[in-house]
mmCIF file of all heavy atoms in Angstrom:
data_model
loop_
_atom_site.group_PDB
_atom_site.id
_atom_site.type_symbol
_atom_site.label_atom_id
_atom_site.label_comp_id
_atom_site.label_asym_id
_atom_site.label_seq_id
_atom_site.Cartn_x
_atom_site.Cartn_y
_atom_site.Cartn_z
ATOM 1 N N VAL A 122 0.843 -1.205 0.000
ATOM 2 C CA VAL A 122 0.000 0.000 0.000
ATOM 3 C C VAL A 122 0.872 1.246 0.000
ATOM 4 O O VAL A 122 0.625 2.198 -0.759
ATOM 5 C CB VAL A 122 -0.951 0.008 1.224
ATOM 6 C CG1 VAL A 122 -1.721 1.325 1.293
ATOM 7 C CG2 VAL A 122 -1.927 -1.160 1.151
ATOM 8 N N GLU A 123 1.892 1.235 0.832
ATOM 9 C CA GLU A 123 2.772 2.397 0.956
ATOM 10 C C GLU A 123 3.474 2.707 -0.367
ATOM 11 O O GLU A 123 3.644 3.883 -0.731
ATOM 12 C CB GLU A 123 3.797 2.141 2.061
ATOM 13 C CG GLU A 123 4.546 3.379 2.507
ATOM 14 C CD GLU A 123 5.400 3.109 3.732
ATOM 15 O OE1 GLU A 123 6.097 2.065 3.761
ATOM 16 O OE2 GLU A 123 5.365 3.925 4.665
ATOM 17 N N ARG A 124 3.859 1.682 -1.083
ATOM 18 C CA ARG A 124 4.570 1.871 -2.355
ATOM 19 C C ARG A 124 3.615 2.035 -3.542
ATOM 20 O O ARG A 124 4.048 2.077 -4.690
ATOM 21 C CB ARG A 124 5.497 0.696 -2.611
ATOM 22 C CG ARG A 124 6.643 0.608 -1.620
ATOM 23 C CD ARG A 124 7.666 -0.401 -2.052
ATOM 24 N NE ARG A 124 8.824 -0.393 -1.171
ATOM 25 C CZ ARG A 124 9.944 -1.052 -1.432
ATOM 26 N NH1 ARG A 124 10.055 -1.756 -2.527
ATOM 27 N NH2 ARG A 124 10.957 -0.985 -0.591
ATOM 28 N N LYS A 125 2.309 2.056 -3.254
ATOM 29 C CA LYS A 125 1.281 2.263 -4.273
ATOM 30 C C LYS A 125 1.189 1.105 -5.262
ATOM 31 O O LYS A 125 0.727 1.279 -6.387
ATOM 32 C CB LYS A 125 1.495 3.586 -5.013
ATOM 33 C CG LYS A 125 1.484 4.796 -4.089
ATOM 34 C CD LYS A 125 1.639 6.099 -4.852
ATOM 35 C CE LYS A 125 1.620 7.286 -3.901
ATOM 36 N NZ LYS A 125 1.776 8.569 -4.598
ATOM 37 N N LYS A 126 1.621 -0.076 -4.815
ATOM 38 C CA LYS A 126 1.432 -1.264 -5.641
ATOM 39 C C LYS A 126 -0.028 -1.682 -5.587
ATOM 40 O O LYS A 126 -0.580 -2.175 -6.576
ATOM 41 C CB LYS A 126 2.329 -2.404 -5.149
ATOM 42 C CG LYS A 126 2.181 -3.694 -5.949
ATOM 43 C CD LYS A 126 3.121 -4.774 -5.445
ATOM 44 C CE LYS A 126 2.978 -6.046 -6.267
ATOM 45 N NZ LYS A 126 3.910 -7.112 -5.805
ATOM 46 N N ILE A 127 -0.656 -1.523 -4.412
ATOM 47 C CA ILE A 127 -2.083 -1.809 -4.273
ATOM 48 C C ILE A 127 -2.774 -0.602 -3.659
ATOM 49 O O ILE A 127 -2.152 0.210 -2.974
ATOM 50 C CB ILE A 127 -2.344 -3.059 -3.402
ATOM 51 C CG1 ILE A 127 -1.773 -2.877 -1.989
ATOM 52 C CG2 ILE A 127 -1.784 -4.310 -4.053
ATOM 53 C CD1 ILE A 127 -2.126 -4.008 -1.035
ATOM 54 N N ASP A 128 -4.072 -0.483 -3.917
ATOM 55 C CA ASP A 128 -4.867 0.636 -3.407
ATOM 56 C C ASP A 128 -5.716 0.233 -2.208
ATOM 57 O O ASP A 128 -6.067 1.073 -1.384
ATOM 58 C CB ASP A 128 -5.766 1.176 -4.523
ATOM 59 C CG ASP A 128 -4.967 1.556 -5.756
ATOM 60 O OD1 ASP A 128 -4.074 2.403 -5.623
ATOM 61 O OD2 ASP A 128 -5.222 0.990 -6.834
ATOM 62 N N ILE A 129 -6.074 -1.046 -2.129
ATOM 63 C CA ILE A 129 -6.804 -1.600 -0.986
ATOM 64 C C ILE A 129 -6.111 -2.889 -0.576
ATOM 65 O O ILE A 129 -5.760 -3.707 -1.429
ATOM 66 C CB ILE A 129 -8.276 -1.904 -1.333
ATOM 67 C CG1 ILE A 129 -9.026 -0.645 -1.755
ATOM 68 C CG2 ILE A 129 -8.988 -2.540 -0.142
ATOM 69 C CD1 ILE A 129 -10.446 -0.914 -2.184
ATOM 70 N N GLY A 130 -5.907 -3.077 0.722
ATOM 71 C CA GLY A 130 -5.312 -4.310 1.210
ATOM 72 C C GLY A 130 -6.138 -4.905 2.340
ATOM 73 O O GLY A 130 -6.700 -4.168 3.149
ATOM 74 N N LEU A 131 -6.233 -6.218 2.371
ATOM 75 C CA LEU A 131 -6.898 -6.926 3.467
ATOM 76 C C LEU A 131 -5.830 -7.706 4.222
ATOM 77 O O LEU A 131 -5.214 -8.623 3.680
ATOM 78 C CB LEU A 131 -7.978 -7.874 2.935
ATOM 79 C CG LEU A 131 -9.105 -7.239 2.120
ATOM 80 C CD1 LEU A 131 -10.138 -8.292 1.732
ATOM 81 C CD2 LEU A 131 -9.775 -6.112 2.886
ATOM 82 N N SER A 132 -5.592 -7.331 5.475
ATOM 83 C CA SER A 132 -4.506 -7.910 6.262
ATOM 84 C C SER A 132 -5.019 -8.371 7.612
ATOM 85 O O SER A 132 -5.987 -7.821 8.147
ATOM 86 C CB SER A 132 -3.397 -6.865 6.453
ATOM 87 O OG SER A 132 -2.387 -7.349 7.311
ATOM 88 N N THR A 133 -4.358 -9.385 8.169
ATOM 89 C CA THR A 133 -4.721 -9.839 9.511
ATOM 90 C C THR A 133 -3.833 -9.190 10.565
ATOM 91 O O THR A 133 -3.941 -9.508 11.749
ATOM 92 C CB THR A 133 -4.599 -11.372 9.619
ATOM 93 O OG1 THR A 133 -3.252 -11.763 9.300
ATOM 94 C CG2 THR A 133 -5.564 -12.061 8.671
ATOM 95 N N ILE A 134 -2.951 -8.296 10.143
ATOM 96 C CA ILE A 134 -2.048 -7.602 11.064
ATOM 97 C C ILE A 134 -2.464 -6.135 11.173
ATOM 98 O O ILE A 134 -2.702 -5.480 10.161
ATOM 99 C CB ILE A 134 -0.589 -7.689 10.576
ATOM 100 C CG1 ILE A 134 -0.111 -9.140 10.582
ATOM 101 C CG2 ILE A 134 0.328 -6.827 11.441
ATOM 102 C CD1 ILE A 134 1.268 -9.339 10.009
ATOM 103 N N GLN A 135 -2.556 -5.638 12.397
ATOM 104 C CA GLN A 135 -2.857 -4.222 12.627
ATOM 105 C C GLN A 135 -1.559 -3.507 12.991
ATOM 106 O O GLN A 135 -0.915 -3.840 13.975
ATOM 107 C CB GLN A 135 -3.886 -4.058 13.739
ATOM 108 C CG GLN A 135 -4.322 -2.619 13.955
ATOM 109 C CD GLN A 135 -5.390 -2.494 15.035
ATOM 110 O OE1 GLN A 135 -5.495 -3.349 15.905
ATOM 111 N NE2 GLN A 135 -6.176 -1.428 14.967
ATOM 112 N N ALA A 136 -1.177 -2.559 12.165
ATOM 113 C CA ALA A 136 0.059 -1.811 12.396
ATOM 114 C C ALA A 136 -0.193 -0.331 12.148
ATOM 115 O O ALA A 136 -1.234 0.054 11.605
ATOM 116 C CB ALA A 136 1.172 -2.336 11.486
ATOM 117 N N ALA A 137 0.754 0.499 12.559
ATOM 118 C CA ALA A 137 0.613 1.947 12.397
ATOM 119 C C ALA A 137 1.600 2.447 11.353
ATOM 120 O O ALA A 137 2.814 2.328 11.529
ATOM 121 C CB ALA A 137 0.861 2.651 13.732
ATOM 122 N N TYR A 138 1.070 2.979 10.267
ATOM 123 C CA TYR A 138 1.868 3.613 9.212
ATOM 124 C C TYR A 138 1.300 5.004 8.983
ATOM 125 O O TYR A 138 0.074 5.165 8.822
ATOM 126 C CB TYR A 138 1.792 2.808 7.913
ATOM 127 C CG TYR A 138 2.734 1.635 7.842
ATOM 128 C CD1 TYR A 138 2.563 0.529 8.668
ATOM 129 C CD2 TYR A 138 3.786 1.616 6.936
ATOM 130 C CE1 TYR A 138 3.410 -0.563 8.602
ATOM 131 C CE2 TYR A 138 4.649 0.521 6.853
ATOM 132 C CZ TYR A 138 4.451 -0.561 7.687
ATOM 133 O OH TYR A 138 5.298 -1.638 7.616
ATOM 134 N N PRO A 139 2.130 6.034 8.945
ATOM 135 C CA PRO A 139 1.621 7.409 8.824
ATOM 136 C C PRO A 139 0.709 7.638 7.624
ATOM 137 O O PRO A 139 -0.291 8.340 7.723
ATOM 138 C CB PRO A 139 2.911 8.243 8.701
ATOM 139 C CG PRO A 139 3.971 7.405 9.325
ATOM 140 C CD PRO A 139 3.597 5.989 9.038
ATOM 141 N N GLY A 140 1.040 7.040 6.482
ATOM 142 C CA GLY A 140 0.274 7.319 5.273
ATOM 143 C C GLY A 140 -0.820 6.328 4.971
ATOM 144 O O GLY A 140 -1.427 6.379 3.905
ATOM 145 N N ILE A 141 -1.105 5.400 5.922
ATOM 146 C CA ILE A 141 -2.080 4.338 5.662
ATOM 147 C C ILE A 141 -3.216 4.397 6.679
ATOM 148 O O ILE A 141 -2.984 4.495 7.883
ATOM 149 C CB ILE A 141 -1.412 2.948 5.711
ATOM 150 C CG1 ILE A 141 -0.324 2.851 4.635
ATOM 151 C CG2 ILE A 141 -2.441 1.850 5.511
ATOM 152 C CD1 ILE A 141 0.429 1.536 4.653
ATOM 153 N N LYS A 142 -4.416 4.350 6.189
ATOM 154 C CA LYS A 142 -5.599 4.291 7.036
ATOM 155 C C LYS A 142 -5.922 2.826 7.304
ATOM 156 O O LYS A 142 -6.115 2.044 6.375
ATOM 157 C CB LYS A 142 -6.778 4.981 6.343
ATOM 158 C CG LYS A 142 -8.044 5.052 7.179
ATOM 159 C CD LYS A 142 -9.134 5.779 6.406
ATOM 160 C CE LYS A 142 -10.420 5.876 7.209
ATOM 161 N NZ LYS A 142 -11.502 6.557 6.441
ATOM 162 N N VAL A 143 -5.973 2.444 8.574
ATOM 163 C CA VAL A 143 -6.206 1.057 8.972
ATOM 164 C C VAL A 143 -7.544 0.970 9.708
ATOM 165 O O VAL A 143 -7.748 1.641 10.722
ATOM 166 C CB VAL A 143 -5.077 0.543 9.881
ATOM 167 C CG1 VAL A 143 -5.300 -0.922 10.244
ATOM 168 C CG2 VAL A 143 -3.718 0.732 9.205
ATOM 169 N N GLU A 144 -8.460 0.146 9.189
ATOM 170 C CA GLU A 144 -9.793 0.015 9.787
ATOM 171 C C GLU A 144 -10.112 -1.442 10.070
ATOM 172 O O GLU A 144 -9.891 -2.302 9.204
ATOM 173 C CB GLU A 144 -10.852 0.572 8.837
ATOM 174 C CG GLU A 144 -10.670 2.019 8.451
ATOM 175 C CD GLU A 144 -11.663 2.426 7.378
ATOM 176 O OE1 GLU A 144 -12.822 2.728 7.727
ATOM 177 O OE2 GLU A 144 -11.289 2.420 6.185
ATOM 178 N N PRO A 145 -10.640 -1.775 11.261
ATOM 179 C CA PRO A 145 -11.142 -3.140 11.493
ATOM 180 C C PRO A 145 -12.251 -3.426 10.485
ATOM 181 O O PRO A 145 -13.152 -2.593 10.293
ATOM 182 C CB PRO A 145 -11.689 -3.077 12.926
ATOM 183 C CG PRO A 145 -11.005 -1.897 13.542
ATOM 184 C CD PRO A 145 -10.802 -0.911 12.442
ATOM 185 N N TYR A 146 -12.188 -4.576 9.835
ATOM 186 C CA TYR A 146 -13.137 -4.843 8.749
ATOM 187 C C TYR A 146 -14.123 -5.948 9.097
ATOM 188 O O TYR A 146 -15.313 -5.783 8.989
ATOM 189 C CB TYR A 146 -12.359 -5.191 7.487
ATOM 190 C CG TYR A 146 -13.023 -4.708 6.216
ATOM 191 C CD1 TYR A 146 -13.839 -3.588 6.205
ATOM 192 C CD2 TYR A 146 -12.828 -5.376 5.021
ATOM 193 C CE1 TYR A 146 -14.441 -3.145 5.053
ATOM 194 C CE2 TYR A 146 -13.422 -4.939 3.848
ATOM 195 C CZ TYR A 146 -14.231 -3.830 3.880
ATOM 196 O OH TYR A 146 -14.835 -3.391 2.721
ATOM 197 N N PHE A 147 -13.609 -7.107 9.491
ATOM 198 C CA PHE A 147 -14.494 -8.173 9.950
ATOM 199 C C PHE A 147 -13.688 -9.147 10.796
ATOM 200 O O PHE A 147 -12.461 -9.112 10.829
ATOM 201 C CB PHE A 147 -15.178 -8.902 8.790
ATOM 202 C CG PHE A 147 -14.237 -9.528 7.793
ATOM 203 C CD1 PHE A 147 -13.683 -10.779 8.011
ATOM 204 C CD2 PHE A 147 -13.910 -8.855 6.617
ATOM 205 C CE1 PHE A 147 -12.822 -11.344 7.093
ATOM 206 C CE2 PHE A 147 -13.051 -9.410 5.691
ATOM 207 C CZ PHE A 147 -12.505 -10.665 5.933
ATOM 208 N N SER A 148 -14.403 -10.001 11.521
ATOM 209 C CA SER A 148 -13.779 -10.967 12.414
ATOM 210 C C SER A 148 -14.285 -12.357 12.063
ATOM 211 O O SER A 148 -15.494 -12.586 12.021
ATOM 212 C CB SER A 148 -14.105 -10.627 13.869
ATOM 213 O OG SER A 148 -13.459 -11.498 14.746
ATOM 214 N N ASP A 149 -13.363 -13.274 11.795
ATOM 215 C CA ASP A 149 -13.722 -14.597 11.283
ATOM 216 C C ASP A 149 -13.507 -15.660 12.357
ATOM 217 O O ASP A 149 -12.373 -15.876 12.799
ATOM 218 C CB ASP A 149 -12.833 -14.913 10.081
ATOM 219 C CG ASP A 149 -13.537 -15.787 9.055
ATOM 220 O OD1 ASP A 149 -14.583 -16.355 9.389
ATOM 221 O OD2 ASP A 149 -13.026 -15.896 7.930
ATOM 222 N N PRO A 150 -14.581 -16.333 12.819
ATOM 223 C CA PRO A 150 -14.393 -17.423 13.778
ATOM 224 C C PRO A 150 -13.569 -18.539 13.150
ATOM 225 O O PRO A 150 -13.590 -18.741 11.939
ATOM 226 C CB PRO A 150 -15.827 -17.904 14.056
ATOM 227 C CG PRO A 150 -16.713 -16.797 13.602
ATOM 228 C CD PRO A 150 -15.995 -16.122 12.480
ATOM 229 N N MET A 151 -12.845 -19.268 13.975
ATOM 230 C CA MET A 151 -12.061 -20.409 13.506
ATOM 231 C C MET A 151 -12.808 -21.692 13.847
ATOM 232 O O MET A 151 -13.321 -21.848 14.967
ATOM 233 C CB MET A 151 -10.683 -20.407 14.160
ATOM 234 C CG MET A 151 -9.888 -19.135 13.927
ATOM 235 S SD MET A 151 -9.416 -18.895 12.202
ATOM 236 C CE MET A 151 -8.094 -20.103 12.061
ATOM 237 N N VAL A 152 -12.884 -22.603 12.894
ATOM 238 C CA VAL A 152 -13.601 -23.866 13.087
ATOM 239 C C VAL A 152 -12.701 -25.020 12.675
ATOM 240 O O VAL A 152 -11.689 -24.841 11.997
ATOM 241 C CB VAL A 152 -14.905 -23.910 12.266
ATOM 242 C CG1 VAL A 152 -15.863 -22.813 12.715
ATOM 243 C CG2 VAL A 152 -14.606 -23.779 10.763
ATOM 244 N N GLY A 153 -13.086 -26.217 13.097
ATOM 245 C CA GLY A 153 -12.374 -27.409 12.674
ATOM 246 C C GLY A 153 -12.992 -27.973 11.418
ATOM 247 O O GLY A 153 -14.140 -27.669 11.076
ATOM 248 N N ALA A 154 -12.250 -28.819 10.707
ATOM 249 C CA ALA A 154 -12.761 -29.462 9.501
ATOM 250 C C ALA A 154 -12.191 -30.866 9.381
ATOM 251 O O ALA A 154 -11.059 -31.130 9.811
ATOM 252 C CB ALA A 154 -12.416 -28.641 8.269
ATOM 253 N N CYS A 155 -13.008 -31.763 8.825
ATOM 254 C CA CYS A 155 -12.585 -33.154 8.648
ATOM 255 C C CYS A 155 -13.360 -33.754 7.479
ATOM 256 O O CYS A 155 -14.256 -33.119 6.907
ATOM 257 C CB CYS A 155 -12.830 -33.958 9.917
ATOM 258 S SG CYS A 155 -14.582 -34.063 10.372
ATOM 259 N N ARG A 156 -13.043 -34.969 7.130
ATOM 260 C CA ARG A 156 -13.799 -35.677 6.102
ATOM 261 C C ARG A 156 -15.170 -36.061 6.645
ATOM 262 O O ARG A 156 -15.346 -36.252 7.850
ATOM 263 C CB ARG A 156 -13.035 -36.930 5.671
ATOM 264 C CG ARG A 156 -11.771 -36.626 4.884
ATOM 265 C CD ARG A 156 -10.851 -37.836 4.850
ATOM 266 N NE ARG A 156 -11.443 -38.970 4.183
ATOM 267 C CZ ARG A 156 -11.204 -39.318 2.908
ATOM 268 N NH1 ARG A 156 -10.369 -38.592 2.187
ATOM 269 N NH2 ARG A 156 -11.769 -40.376 2.377
ATOM 270 N N ARG A 157 -16.141 -36.182 5.750
ATOM 271 C CA ARG A 157 -17.494 -36.522 6.180
ATOM 272 C C ARG A 157 -17.546 -37.912 6.814
ATOM 273 O O ARG A 157 -18.440 -38.212 7.617
ATOM 274 C CB ARG A 157 -18.451 -36.429 4.993
ATOM 275 C CG ARG A 157 -19.908 -36.606 5.361
ATOM 276 C CD ARG A 157 -20.829 -36.192 4.239
ATOM 277 N NE ARG A 157 -20.854 -34.743 4.089
ATOM 278 C CZ ARG A 157 -21.588 -33.925 4.831
ATOM 279 N NH1 ARG A 157 -22.339 -34.410 5.803
ATOM 280 N NH2 ARG A 157 -21.574 -32.633 4.630
ATOM 281 N N THR A 158 -16.612 -38.780 6.473
ATOM 282 C CA THR A 158 -16.575 -40.141 7.028
ATOM 283 C C THR A 158 -15.777 -40.231 8.330
ATOM 284 O O THR A 158 -15.624 -41.316 8.894
ATOM 285 C CB THR A 158 -15.961 -41.094 5.988
ATOM 286 O OG1 THR A 158 -14.737 -40.535 5.495
ATOM 287 C CG2 THR A 158 -16.916 -41.307 4.820
ATOM 288 N N SER A 159 -15.274 -39.103 8.821
ATOM 289 C CA SER A 159 -14.510 -39.087 10.066
ATOM 290 C C SER A 159 -15.439 -39.226 11.272
ATOM 291 O O SER A 159 -16.590 -38.766 11.241
ATOM 292 C CB SER A 159 -13.729 -37.776 10.176
ATOM 293 O OG SER A 159 -13.225 -37.605 11.484
ATOM 294 N N PRO A 160 -14.983 -39.847 12.366
ATOM 295 C CA PRO A 160 -15.787 -39.909 13.595
ATOM 296 C C PRO A 160 -16.141 -38.523 14.128
ATOM 297 O O PRO A 160 -17.137 -38.363 14.842
ATOM 298 C CB PRO A 160 -14.876 -40.655 14.574
ATOM 299 C CG PRO A 160 -13.952 -41.446 13.719
ATOM 300 C CD PRO A 160 -13.730 -40.610 12.496
ATOM 301 N N LEU A 161 -15.349 -37.506 13.803
ATOM 302 C CA LEU A 161 -15.617 -36.154 14.273
ATOM 303 C C LEU A 161 -16.791 -35.504 13.542
ATOM 304 O O LEU A 161 -17.369 -34.524 14.021
ATOM 305 C CB LEU A 161 -14.373 -35.274 14.079
ATOM 306 C CG LEU A 161 -13.084 -35.710 14.781
ATOM 307 C CD1 LEU A 161 -11.919 -34.828 14.322
ATOM 308 C CD2 LEU A 161 -13.251 -35.635 16.292
ATOM 309 N N ALA A 162 -17.137 -36.029 12.365
ATOM 310 C CA ALA A 162 -18.103 -35.361 11.488
ATOM 311 C C ALA A 162 -19.504 -35.281 12.079
ATOM 312 O O ALA A 162 -20.267 -34.361 11.760
ATOM 313 C CB ALA A 162 -18.152 -36.069 10.134
ATOM 314 N N SER A 163 -19.861 -36.220 12.941
ATOM 315 C CA SER A 163 -21.222 -36.235 13.486
ATOM 316 C C SER A 163 -21.375 -35.330 14.702
ATOM 317 O O SER A 163 -22.479 -35.186 15.237
ATOM 318 C CB SER A 163 -21.591 -37.674 13.881
ATOM 319 O OG SER A 163 -20.694 -38.167 14.866
#
């Protein structure tokens, strides 16, 4: 963003840069995943 390679960036890191506006955008819960035939699936 600082070097003007991109105009909008989506990052999971919050940092302070003088020329960059940083806004909380959304929060994603973390879940587990497995095969449908796994004992965990039910």
Side-chain angles (χ1 to χ4, degrees):
V122 174
E123 194 172 45
R124 293 190 174 190
K125 301 182 180 180
K126 179 178 181 179
I127 60 174
D128 305 302
I129 299 176
L131 301 183
S132 175
T133 58
I134 296 175
Q135 184 178 24
Y138 278 68
I141 299 177
K142 184 179 180 181
V143 182
E144 302 173 81
Y146 214 28
F147 58 84
S148 183
D149 211 346
M151 303 294 285
V152 298
C155 63
R156 290 163 63 99
R157 187 167 287 278
T158 50
S159 167
L161 301 172
S163 60

